[in-house]
């Protein structure tokens, strides 16, 4: 048998298993969220994006981090914010402001554990072309 002759037949199977198999490293998806971009512009290598986010009762942002700065205000409902150590690091009610750290060291999740939708206005200031958020796997919390 020639070296690596088996590779073309095995490689598609390996790729399919790696992509489709569930695992602990799978990102946790958001659920029950609607987002509308209100304004977006770029200046001096930074993107400025304002969005209105609505999180349905029982909805979640999923675990993620932001490559840039995030500032927001809760317009309606109550947002419960979890840190990567599974602790609640904030409960934000209508009228409250919120800011979030950036980078891989600040993995977090926002949840609507109340009976009414959470509506928030959010400003993202991020490096030009970078995503608003990067999905991450559950850090080991007993909830998604």
């Amino acid at each position: 048998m020639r070296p690596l002759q088996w590779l073309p037949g095995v490689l598609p199977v390996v790729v399919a298993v790696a992509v489709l198999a569930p695992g602990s490293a799978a990102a946790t998806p958001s659920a029950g969220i609607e987002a509308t971009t209100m304004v977006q512009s770029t200046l001096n290598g930074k993107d400025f994006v304002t969005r209105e986010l609505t999180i349905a009762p029982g909805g979640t942002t999923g675990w993620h981090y932001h490559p840039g700065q995030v500032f927001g205000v809760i317009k309606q409902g109550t947002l419960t914010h979890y840190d990567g150590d599974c602790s609640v690091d904030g409960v934000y009610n209508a009228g409250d402001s919120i800011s979030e750290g950036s980078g891989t060291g600040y993995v977090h999740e926002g949840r609507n554990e109340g009976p009414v939708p959470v509506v928030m206005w959010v400003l993202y200031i991020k490096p030009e072309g970078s995503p608003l958020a990067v999905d991450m796997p559950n850090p080991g919390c007993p909830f998604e």
Side-chain angles (χ1 to χ4, degrees):
M1 179 185 264
R2 291 182 309 187
L4 302 180
Q5 178 180 1
W6 52 270
L7 187 60
V10 173
L11 188 57
V13 173
V14 170
V15 170
V17 167
V19 170
L20 299 176
S24 61
T28 56
S30 63
I33 294 187
E34 293 180 19
T36 302
T37 299
M38 298 160 58
V39 177
Q40 182 170 347
S41 64
T42 302
L43 179 65
N44 298 327
K46 299 245 185 219
D47 289 334
F48 297 82
V49 181
T50 56
R51 298 180 97 194
E52 181 178 84
L53 302 178
T54 302
I55 306 173
T60 175
T61 63
W63 292 98
H64 65 280
Y65 71 88
H66 302 281
Q69 299 171 292
V70 179
F71 305 96
V73 62
I74 308 300
K75 302 297 288 177
Q76 171 186 299
T78 300
L79 177 72
T80 304
H81 199 271
Y82 290 87
D83 193 19
D85 66 1
C86 309
S87 67
V88 173
D89 65 352
V91 176
Y92 302 93
N93 297 298
D96 290 345
S97 62
I98 180 174
S99 62
E100 296 180 336
S102 63
T104 57
Y106 191 64
V107 174
H108 58 278
E109 177 184 48
R111 301 176 68 88
N112 180 355
E113 298 175 343
V116 300
V118 169
V119 177
M120 48 191 304
W121 289 352
V122 181
L123 168 64
Y124 302 85
I125 304 172
K126 62 187 189 65
E128 183 176 358
S130 66
L132 296 175
V134 177
D135 290 341
M136 296 295 289
N138 182 324
C141 302
F143 53 86
E144 285 297 314

